[in-house]
Amino acid sequence: MIGDTSYVTAVAIARDGKRAISDSSDHTLKIWDTDSGTEQRTVTGHTNSVTAVAIAPDSKIAISASWDKTIKIWDLDSGKELSTLIVDTSSVKAVVIAPDSKQAIFALGLDGLQIWDLDSGRELRTLTRYTSYVNAVAITPDGLTVIAASDRTLKIWDIHSGNEQRTLTGHAWSVEGVAITPDGKRAVSASDDRTLKVWDIHSGIELRTLAGHTWSVKGVAITPDGKRAVSASYDKTLKIWDLDSGRELTTLIGHTDRVWAVAIAPDGLQAISCSEDNTLKVWDLLSGKEVASFSGDYGFDCCAIAPDGVTVVAGDRSGRVHFLRLEGVSSDR
């Protein structure tokens, strides 16, 4: 679907699976019906590029961040702007929303993290002590702990007190992504140093290093059972890892340019990857085989899989948002 008129840098799908939202550097967001792939409305109000977007777990509101130094809260049903939050930086790189849909955490570039109450639109606290940009943020399933990646480190914070619990060190270059296992016990970080690391969140101990990529690792996703991770790299490959042993299970080969992101289906059997080679690829995670490929006219920067495990939403650099269905896609094709 032709939606925005410039880069689509992020997409999000509501937990109820009914709608998706995409951001763009043309200052707008678009809300989509995931069943039909039709645009429901264009949301305007930002005055500069939109850099991050998220949908609350209750599927009622969406949050966007922009270079215009604002964060906006939107009603997902009507597209109405509910609140505008003013921040001191234009470099908001990530937004996450707590599982109870009551709080949001924003990565504010060099200014660290801010936690906001979504009902009142009030800033609750700022978490600082950063000397470099915060690149990625993840929140534990219980909503009590947030992990933020910056430069070569990750910091673990208690959301309610705002206290830093520990700093995780070990990466040699910038940490670009972080994911948390469904049980909230382990985190996996992806770095420009070509490795991933598995961490014990409670103790802060590095459990193992996952080495094998030959260029920067830009994305990581964890299977719903928490046993495997899939990493996406500039080396044109994805790798499947066993998190208990740290063993590389297989390398997914097929892309011909940088792989930017990966998403895993809710059943943990398939993953989708998006690449600068203008393709989206579907992978069988048991066999390691490529089972489907979609080619566009421009590179893909972002992708997501709906809770039904069938609908895929991806954004490309021309402003198009693509809706794909995985029905009948299997390793036996």
Side-chain angles (χ1 to χ4, degrees), residues 140-290:
T140 53
D142 60 11
L144 300 178
T145 304
V146 64
I147 302 178
S150 173
D151 196 18
R152 302 174 185 181
T153 69
L154 300 101
K155 289 184 183 292
I156 301 177
W157 301 86
D158 180 280
I159 288 179
H160 295 300
S161 68
N163 293 329
E164 180 187 336
Q165 296 179 324
R166 57 195 58 88
T167 298
L168 311 182
T169 60
H171 280 295
W173 295 347
S174 177
V175 183
E176 296 295 313
V178 61
I180 296 174
T181 54
D183 63 8
K185 294 181 179 180
R186 294 180 291 183
V188 182
S189 55
S191 172
D192 281 339
D193 68 9
R194 308 175 185 178
T195 73
L196 300 101
K197 290 183 182 292
V198 184
W199 309 87
D200 181 281
I201 293 176
H202 177 71
S203 66
I205 293 174
E206 179 187 325
L207 300 176
R208 55 195 55 88
T209 296
L210 313 180
H213 282 295
T214 59
W215 204 356
S216 299
V217 186
K218 289 297 181 180
V220 61
I222 297 173
T223 55
D225 62 9
K227 294 181 179 180
R228 293 169 295 161
V230 182
S231 54
S233 171
Y234 274 9
D235 67 9
K236 308 176 188 178
T237 73
L238 299 100
K239 290 181 182 289
I240 305 175
W241 308 88
D242 182 284
L243 292 182
D244 290 328
S245 67
R247 185 167 62 95
E248 178 187 324
L249 299 177
T250 190
T251 299
L252 309 181
I253 299 174
H255 284 296
T256 59
D257 210 328
R258 299 175 180 183
V259 186
W260 284 100
V262 59
I264 296 176
D267 62 9
L269 299 179
Q270 293 180 326
I272 186 164
S273 57
C274 58
S275 170
E276 205 165 306
D277 67 5
N278 301 356
T279 70
L280 299 167
K281 292 185 181 294
V282 183
W283 307 90
D284 183 285
L285 295 183
L286 296 181
S287 68
K289 293 181 179 179
E290 176 188 328

